[in-house]
Amino acid sequence: MIEIQLNGKIHKLREGVNIDSLLEDLSIPKAKVAIELNRQVLHKENYTKTFLKNDDQIEIVTFIGGG
Amino acid sequence: MDRFKIGKRVFNSRLIVGTGKYKDLEQTSDAVNASGADIVTVAVRRVNITDPKEPMLMDYLDPKKITYLPNTAGCYSAEDALRTLRLAKASGGWNLVKLEVLGDEQTLYPNMQETLKAAKVLVDEGFEVMVYCADDPIACKELEKIGVVAIMPLGSLIGSGQGIPNKINIQIIKRQSKIPVIVDAGIGTASDAVIAMELGCDGVLINSAIAKANNPILMAEAMKNAVIAGRQSFLSGRMEKKILANPSSPLEGKINN
């Protein structure tokens, strides 16, 4: 098991998980979100080849109502 | 043809609406449709991990049919604003963005030093930046020099509904600018929107005045009409003001002569 920070909260998951499977596990639609990994924007084409490591900080964001 | 051009994009409506503060997403979508706006501002926030089935804005407002303008609301530093907009771009190639860097929570007044810093970086990175800013002609001139695509001075404080107390500054900014000037923040009611347009502004951005009206859908329509009326009035060129009366009916042919 590894521990990551997911949207500011500790999240445990097995080793060897890439971004695509993380989104799938969380039932989050890929097309509607953007991701930052360790404060760097992660482009969608890199989701498959990016595997999460212990202590990674990941932000998953979407658009909500705002002025 | 009176076209509303921002950067290389052309829009029909000069009214931009915010999508915050509504009762629910259905009301948001109904109000946006009633407003006739082509552009809506949206905020970038963390996905609710515990409830991913929670409805999303994109389910109600299709970004293929209406232009999303991601904002940096809630950012108090250039760095936070840059992070937010880079994420917005990654989400689906959003290049046209609204930059706002706030000074404090009491006033939500723009911090122009941080705003200018962020604007420079964003323009260098190829963003088309529309900037919420102070009604300060010098700061606005700096923004234009940096290469932003629209200047969006506040009429009054965000969410205050105080209208445009300092019309002179807005006029000065409009007169000196070659890029669109859009009054952002402070519009409280339809007459405020008319005034903004009659001052010659290219557009207005409204959120609270619509969302916080008793009937947001009807107010959205009122704002649509107000922006059109104000623009037509500005283009028509108003009559000269006079101190004394000037009769509208001819004096010739009166029966008591």
Side-chain angles (χ1 to χ4, degrees):
Chain A
M1 290 292 270
I2 59 163
E3 249 183 41
I4 60 165
Q5 283 266 347
L6 170 59
N7 283 2
K9 291 200 177 105
I10 291 173
H11 187 83
K12 289 180 184 172
L13 70 165
R14 61 189 192 280
E15 261 178 89
V17 171
N18 66 13
I19 304 292
D20 267 335
S21 24
L22 175 74
L23 291 178
E24 216 174 289
D25 290 349
L26 295 168
S27 316
I28 294 172
K30 185 175 167 177
K32 292 177 185 168
V33 298
I35 290 180
E36 190 188 72
L37 182 61
N38 301 324
R39 297 180 77 94
Q40 293 293 318
V41 167
L42 190 66
H43 294 283
K44 286 194 192 336
E45 60 267 26
N46 295 327
Y47 285 6
T48 321
K49 55 182 171 196
T50 306
F51 292 86
L52 289 159
K53 302 182 305 295
N54 206 33
D55 292 332
D56 271 347
Q57 288 187 23
I58 181 165
E59 295 284 350
I60 308 178
V61 300
T62 188
F63 292 128
I64 67 155
Chain B
M1 181 71 185
D2 177 41
R3 303 194 320 162
F4 183 31
K5 209 170 163 206
I6 302 175
K8 289 187 182 107
R9 302 161 201 249
V10 179
F11 301 96
N12 289 321
S13 174
R14 291 175 178 271
L15 171 61
I16 301 172
V17 295
T19 54
K21 294 183 176 170
Y22 287 95
K23 190 180 73 184
D24 51 33
L25 289 169
E26 198 176 349
Q27 192 185 58
T28 311
S29 148
D30 289 347
V32 168
N33 289 332
S35 76
D38 295 320
I39 307 174
V40 292
T41 59
V42 295
V44 178
R45 291 291 180 272
R46 284 172 167 166
V47 167
N48 185 354
I49 302 291
T50 51
D51 184 12
K53 296 238 160 32
E54 195 181 56
M56 287 184 174
L57 185 69
M58 283 192 203
D59 301 326
Y60 286 80
L61 288 172
D62 185 353
K64 289 191 188 83
K65 291 184 184 147
I66 195 152
T67 301
Y68 271 34
L69 182 67
N71 71 20
T72 59
C75 291
Y76 288 85
S77 67
E79 197 197 337
D80 278 350
L82 293 171
R83 267 182 89 187
T84 304
L85 293 178
R86 285 171 185 151
L87 270 167
K89 194 174 189 174
S91 171
W94 274 271
N95 208 43
L96 184 70
V97 293
K98 171 180 165 181
L99 171 67
E100 60 177 291
V101 186
L102 305 172
D104 74 22
E105 289 175 18
Q106 288 285 305
T107 62
L108 300 178
Y109 207 82
N111 176 333
M112 288 312 298
Q113 207 175 339
E114 290 293 300
T115 302
L116 285 158
K117 202 166 34 165
K120 173 97 183 63
V121 177
L122 289 167
V123 169
D124 287 347
E125 289 183 12
F127 282 90
E128 296 168 88
V129 195
M130 301 172 70
V131 192
Y132 166 64
C133 58
D135 59 348
D136 167 353
I138 306 304
C140 288
K141 217 179 254 183
E142 289 293 316
L143 284 169
E144 187 164 1
K145 228 184 278 173
I146 285 171
V148 306
V149 296
I151 295 167
M152 305 205 289
L154 48 78
S156 48
L157 301 184
I158 293 174
S160 71
Q162 293 285 346
I164 310 174
N166 194 344
K167 298 180 188 65
I168 307 285
N169 274 27
I170 299 290
Q171 276 175 302
I172 294 170
I173 292 164
K174 177 56 203 167
R175 188 178 294 188
Q176 72 179 17
S177 306
K178 290 190 182 71
I179 54 175
V181 174
I182 296 161
V183 170
D184 181 359
I187 300 292
T189 189
S191 54
D192 294 334
V194 175
I195 288 169
M197 297 309 293
E198 283 184 338
L199 290 174
C201 290
D202 300 273
V204 291
L205 198 163
I206 305 174
N207 193 155
S208 306
I210 298 174
K212 291 290 140 200
N214 285 334
N215 183 340
I217 317 299
L218 192 56
M219 186 57 94
E221 203 182 331
M223 291 302 186
K224 171 188 173 177
N225 293 329
V227 168
I228 293 170
R231 180 66 181 171
Q232 288 175 333
S233 171
F234 169 73
L235 292 175
S236 308
R238 62 153 298 146
M239 66 165 280
E240 190 192 330
K241 282 187 185 177
K242 296 184 175 95
I243 302 252
L244 294 177
N246 192 339
S248 299
S249 307
L251 298 176
E252 287 293 311
K254 287 201 309 176
I255 54 173
N256 57 352
N257 275 349

